Amino acid sequence: METNDLVSLSDFSKEQIFALIRETKKIKTEKDIYAKSKPLAGKTLALIFQKPSTRTLVSFAAGMAQLGGSPLILNPQDLQLKRGETLTDTAKILSRYVDAIMIRANKHEDVQEIARNSTIPVINGLTDKEHPCQVLSDLFTIVEQKKLSTPEDLKGIKISYVGDGNNMAHSWILAAALLGMEIVVSSPKNYTAEKEFVQKGIELAKISGGKISLESDPMAAVSNTDIIYTDVWASMGKDEERDHRKQIFTQYQVNMALLAFAKPDVSVMHCLPAHRGEEITEEVMDGPRSIIFEQAENRLHMQQAILLHLLRA
Ligand code: CP
Ligand code: NVA
């Protein structure tokens, strides 16, 4: 059976992304109306986390409850997955009990396998390759914080991603390419975004008019930019490389000196959690250019828009 999934950001069209951003604004401003009408009453969302989470877990669980639905947090250690039951069988069984699955997985292929074998929507809550829910929410934050008249105006925004070419960079490349934005990804050699995502971004950008580029010099990358975006230098699963990476990434720290090369009204974003004093200084994170905490709040509102989009009958 065909289902609506959000495994990769590119599962959604430009029009669907714009609609999600509009609904997020409505949910944020009409919170009480949604809470009263309980549009997801009777629906259950299974949440599976193979890696830690604060924002994704709490915003999906609280968001589901606020819309009248029930979140069901499943620890993979408590499931028969731990004893070798396959992802395929697990997906088939869960499809008979709940209405959607959100999974944070070590391997992107695992989420793809679950999606292929489920008859209900499957949402990627982060993998080694992508973090689509984060970027959808970030797009809303940019529209809100840059006071854009419509989501379509994102087309005029330039974003400079400075740091590890990881899951966040990949989802950002896809988003910019779909919406016709300009993105420059600045990472040290050997830590750049994967070719597959850069190639896909370049192909998609041909249709949207977007611009995707890689620039190893972070100061050149932030020139004339609207948004500086960063993420940890060592993602979950790479913790043992943290000390080694600290040496390699020093030049890529988002600090006041780097901000001086961007527009005076540049906004700074970080998906969090941050390693304060590594990829971003305290001064920038807590300073006037930071929209990081508004960004984190908006995860809640966008998760609700995603759930409504995938689950509303
Ligand atoms: N940004 C993000 O996904 O945070 P968590 O790891 O806390 O969910
Ligand atoms: N790149 C980070 C994102 C955390 C939300 C990680 O995968 O750990």
Side-chain angles (χ1 to χ4, degrees), residues 86-99:
T86 64
L87 286 168
T88 297
D89 288 350
T90 305
K92 286 180 181 165
I93 304 307
L94 289 180
S95 296
R96 291 166 184 255
Y97 297 149
V98 301
D99 300 284

Side-chain angles (χ1 to χ4, degrees), residues 52-57 104 126 131 134 236 271-273 299:
S53 171
T54 297
R55 280 142 290 267
T56 309
L57 189 158
R104 168 167 289 190
L126 179 144
H131 196 2
Q134 177 72 52
M236 288 181 275
C271 57
L272 301 181
R299 291 294 305 278

Side-chain angles (χ1 to χ4, degrees), residues 51 104 126-127 131 134 166-168 231-232 234-236 271-273:
K51 296 180 180 189
R104 168 167 289 190
L126 179 144
T127 65
H131 196 2
Q134 177 72 52
N166 59 15
N167 44 9
M168 285 308 314
D231 185 13
V232 286
S235 284
M236 288 181 275
C271 57
L272 301 181

